[in-house]
């Protein structure tokens, strides 16, 4: 058994398939399959259930995966220690992010890269709900995400920003049709500099999937207010949401930092009880590799 075999198995497990693992590792799929079969013969147990449509871990694979991930991290830390002793940082850092980057992240990465050009940084978009477990499993080294305090047990956090979300609408009148059991209310009828949750509840909304930080904050706020809203469209991309809003298919609720990407779309704050998200820098409490420690100093 060697590190390369472990790397291939980890890639298959994390990417959910042999083709995706091959793309991640920049090798052909047959090499991935062959490496996994060789290791399975060596271990005397199958690591994956293989079907036409999906690949999943067997019990043996589930036992093997965390040990392999820990071994790969240890090997990376050993290489990083040698590089540090020679006065140069190398290695890889994987950062979990949501749709849309925290405004301070790109400048921080630019400064870090100027100081440590030998470190490869990978950004991985993930739903906010999955990020804490990915950190605990070692899939991510750190994350910049909007997470609730209940999701942060066992993790170290640093506050980066707190935003009250705003209503984003089309430049013209609001959509002409709401849910069948709600009276239609156009934005022109409520043409005030602010809006309310009750007004939004009577409009069709372009929303986001469960697990997204925006969705979590919006759902929580409406539940607290004993209100329901109608998600006429659900998308997993901020750009797509803005495009649907632009064509009059609904309004959307976003953090102002994201709404600012679309200056042609009018925004209005909430008069009270606005959905709020809190952006945090998050990582495990364990001692970090030198490259991660260096990057943490740049993010603030």
């Amino acid at each position: 058994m060697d590190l390369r075999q472990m790397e291939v198995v980890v890639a298959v497990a994390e990417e959910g398939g042999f083709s995706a693992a091959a793309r991640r590792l920049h090798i052909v799929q047959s090499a991935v399959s062959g490496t996994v079969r060789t290791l399975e013969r060596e271990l005397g147990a199958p690591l994956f259930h293989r079907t036409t449509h999906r690949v999943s871990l067997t019990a043996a694979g589930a036992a093997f995966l965390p040990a392999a991930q820990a071994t790969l991290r240890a090997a990376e830390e050993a290489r990083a220690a040698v590089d540090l002793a020679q006065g140069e940082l190398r290695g890889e850092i994987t950062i979990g992010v949501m749709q849309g980057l925290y405004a301070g992240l790109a400048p921080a990465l630019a400064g870090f890269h100027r100081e440590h050009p030998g470190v490869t940084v990978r950004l991985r978009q993930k739903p906010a709900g999955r990020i804490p477990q990915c950190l605990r499993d070692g899939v991510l080294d750190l994350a910049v995400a909007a997470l609730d305090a209940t999701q942060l047990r066992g993790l170290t956090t640093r506050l980066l920003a707190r935003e009250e979300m705003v209503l984003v609408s089309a430049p013209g009148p609001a959509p002409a049709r709401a849910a069948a059991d709600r009276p239609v209310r156009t934005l022109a009828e409520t043409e005030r500099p602010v809006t309310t949750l009750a007004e939004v509840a009577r409009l069709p909304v372009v929303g986001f999937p469960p697990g997204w930080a925006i969705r979590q904050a919006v759902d929580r706020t409406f539940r607290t207010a004993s209100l329901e809203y109608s998600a006429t469209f659900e998308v997993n991309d901020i750009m797509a949401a803005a495009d649907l809003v632009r064509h009059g298919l609904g309004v959307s609720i976003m953090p102002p930092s994201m709404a600012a990407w679309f200056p042609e779309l009018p925004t209005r704050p909430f008069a009270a009880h606005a959905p709020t998200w809190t952006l945090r820098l998050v990582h495990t409490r364990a001692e970090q590799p030198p490259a991660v420690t260096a990057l943490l100093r740049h993010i603030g």
Side-chain angles (χ1 to χ4, degrees), residues 174-187 189-190 198-204 228 230:
R177 183 171 58 85
D181 59 344
R182 294 186 178 88
V184 172
R185 194 95 182 269
T186 68
L187 289 179
E189 293 177 285
T190 59
E199 289 170 358
V200 177
R202 295 159 69 177
L203 292 167
E228 295 182 0
S230 173

Side-chain angles (χ1 to χ4, degrees), residues 6 11 30 57 85 98 117 119 143 160 178 183 194 217 232 264 297:
M6 292 185 187
S30 59
L57 288 166
M98 306 176 302
V119 178
L160 296 176
V194 296
T232 307
E264 75 283 8
R297 289 196 292 266

Side-chain angles (χ1 to χ4, degrees), residues 9-110:
V9 170
V10 168
V12 174
E14 291 179 354
E15 299 296 331
F18 288 82
S19 297
R23 289 193 294 271
R24 168 170 153 177
L25 299 172
H26 305 292
I27 59 178
V28 297
Q29 182 177 337
S30 59
V32 172
S33 301
T35 299
V36 172
R37 284 195 300 270
T38 299
L39 183 56
E40 288 175 327
R41 285 195 298 269
E42 183 178 339
L43 295 172
L47 299 176
F48 296 99
H49 295 295
R50 300 162 172 84
T51 67
T52 304
H53 301 293
R54 63 190 298 267
V55 172
S56 60
L57 288 166
T58 63
F64 179 85
L65 180 62
Q69 290 169 327
T71 299
L72 292 173
R73 287 196 300 272
E76 184 59 36
E77 289 169 11
R79 283 192 291 266
V82 172
D83 292 334
L84 185 62
Q86 295 176 329
E88 184 177 0
L89 280 181
R90 293 189 179 275
E92 299 177 354
I93 301 174
T94 304
I95 306 174
V97 296
M98 306 176 302
Q99 281 272 338
L101 295 182
Y102 161 60
L105 184 56
L109 292 176

Side-chain angles (χ1 to χ4, degrees), residues 134-176:
C134 288
L135 287 165
R136 295 184 183 103
D137 291 343
V139 176
L140 301 174
D141 294 301
L142 57 99
V144 175
L147 299 171
D148 296 332
T150 57
Q151 299 172 293
L152 299 174
R153 286 188 295 271
L155 299 172
T156 298
T157 71
R158 186 197 309 164
L159 177 65
L160 296 176
R162 182 176 287 112
E163 293 185 284
E164 290 190 348
M165 298 187 191
V166 297
L167 184 72
V168 181
S169 60

